[in-house]
Amino acid sequence: MLAKTFSVRAEASLCVAAPSVTCNRLVRPILRRSAPALASSCAPRSRTFLRTRQVCSARTVVTYATATQELEPHLQKIKEQGFQLKEFDPDEVKQAVVQLEAAMGEGCKATEMELKWFARDRSLDIESAKEKLNQYLDWRAEGFSGLTAEDPAVASEIALGKAYLLATPDVLGRPVVVVKAPLQITATRDLEATKKLCVWLMDSALDQLEGTPHESILCIFDLRGFGTKNADIAFLKFFIDVMFKYYPKRIANVLLVEPPFVFKPVWVVIKPLLGRYSSLVRFSKTQELKEYIGQENL
């Protein structure tokens, strides 16, 4: 997204200094890899093609390539900030999945993806993975399985606009869940309904990961307008369980946007519950969000 924005800006500021035909030939291979449509416009079609078009395309590509290179360190930094599962040899993972499924016994309700994820989360320790997977399956059986947007509890929470899945992914291509904290009124909320909304959003976000190289999501808590009436400690404890017990390492980062002073006592309570993983939580200004989700999503 950001690279595209840079490209558009480049087109708006062209012809500051016209590059040579040699420059055009040098950038054409880059263009074929990163922007085939522009490459076709850059290639000569006849001796009478407009030189201005050639100059325009060349400068766009140079700026596009430069912008993309400049973004790489930024994207890598964001990736390293978050949770990432340790990589293992694919054959070792397959063997661990077979062993874990056998250890779970007949009638195991875990999917292959769940078996694989919990095996990797526990560093291929079968007994540890079995214990955590059983805990997860028991929790699912408590009413957190097969939730849809039509479920009455989920639908009622969706209607309130408390949380939603961002229409576009973050700058790394990961799904983004946004929580509007001031809309959660502790005194009047239905805690079970809020929990189900959370689970439905997590499952929906994970569905978007299918077919992508990504394995985790970004979660943003919008705390602008947050007050003491929104300090729902019971739900936050549930959310921490979601992070660690039920969706381990699925949430790469949690961004807390513009937390007011009254949020400080809440953070004092929940930070110890996060332990060493509290480093994954980042306090952010509104404008700083563009580093994660792009200017157009602010």
Side-chain angles (χ1 to χ4, degrees), residues 124-276:
L124 308 188
D125 183 323
I126 304 304
E127 285 303 314
S128 180
K130 176 184 174 182
E131 180 181 353
K132 196 164 185 177
L133 183 54
N134 274 323
Q135 185 181 41
Y136 165 80
L137 293 174
D138 290 343
W139 166 75
R140 280 289 195 183
E142 294 174 0
F144 296 104
S145 180
L147 293 172
T148 68
E150 287 72 37
D151 182 285
V154 176
S156 64
E157 294 291 283
I158 291 175
L160 294 174
K162 291 181 179 180
Y164 55 90
L165 197 57
L166 203 63
T168 54
D170 72 358
V171 294
L172 291 177
R174 305 172 301 188
V176 181
V177 173
V178 179
V179 179
K180 307 289 286 187
L183 297 181
Q184 178 77 348
I185 312 299
T186 307
T188 59
R189 59 95 171 99
D190 181 338
L191 180 57
E192 289 305 308
T194 304
K195 288 180 178 180
K196 288 185 176 182
L197 173 67
C198 174
V199 174
W200 174 74
L201 283 170
M202 285 295 301
D203 289 341
S204 299
L206 295 183
D207 286 344
Q208 291 191 2
L209 289 174
E210 292 186 12
T212 76
H214 308 291
E215 297 185 313
S216 58
I217 70 173
L218 173 66
C219 191
I220 299 175
F221 279 77
D222 187 349
L223 297 173
R224 291 172 294 182
F226 180 92
T228 54
K229 64 181 181 180
N230 310 121
D232 195 342
I233 302 299
F235 171 73
L236 289 174
K237 287 182 177 179
F238 171 79
F239 181 72
I240 291 172
D241 280 344
V242 164
M243 288 179 66
F244 298 146
K245 295 180 181 179
Y246 311 134
Y247 297 91
K249 299 183 178 67
R250 285 297 199 179
I251 300 177
N253 285 109
V254 176
L255 303 182
L256 304 181
V257 182
E258 304 283 1
F261 181 77
V262 295
F263 181 75
K264 187 174 182 180
V266 178
W267 179 242
V268 169
V269 172
I270 63 175
K271 184 177 180 180
L273 300 178
L274 291 169
R276 63 189 180 91

Side-chain angles (χ1 to χ4, degrees), residues 78-92:
I78 289 178
K79 185 177 180 179
E80 292 174 352
Q81 287 173 355
F83 258 143
Q84 296 182 68
L85 271 189
K86 184 179 178 181
E87 293 293 336
F88 296 93
D89 181 89
D91 291 334
E92 291 182 354

Side-chain angles (χ1 to χ4, degrees), residues 34 53 58 77 101 117 129 151 204 231 255 261:
S34 58
R53 184 172 185 176
K77 179 181 178 181
E101 186 173 20
W117 188 265
D151 182 285
S204 299
L255 303 182
F261 181 77

Side-chain angles (χ1 to χ4, degrees), residues 1-2 5 166 168-171 286-298:
M1 282 184 287
L2 291 179
T5 302
L166 203 63
T168 54
D170 72 358
V171 294
T286 302
Q287 284 300 315
E288 292 172 348
L289 283 179
K290 64 184 179 181
E291 298 178 8
Y292 294 87
I293 61 175
Q295 180 70 38
E296 65 274 19
N297 287 315
L298 293 184

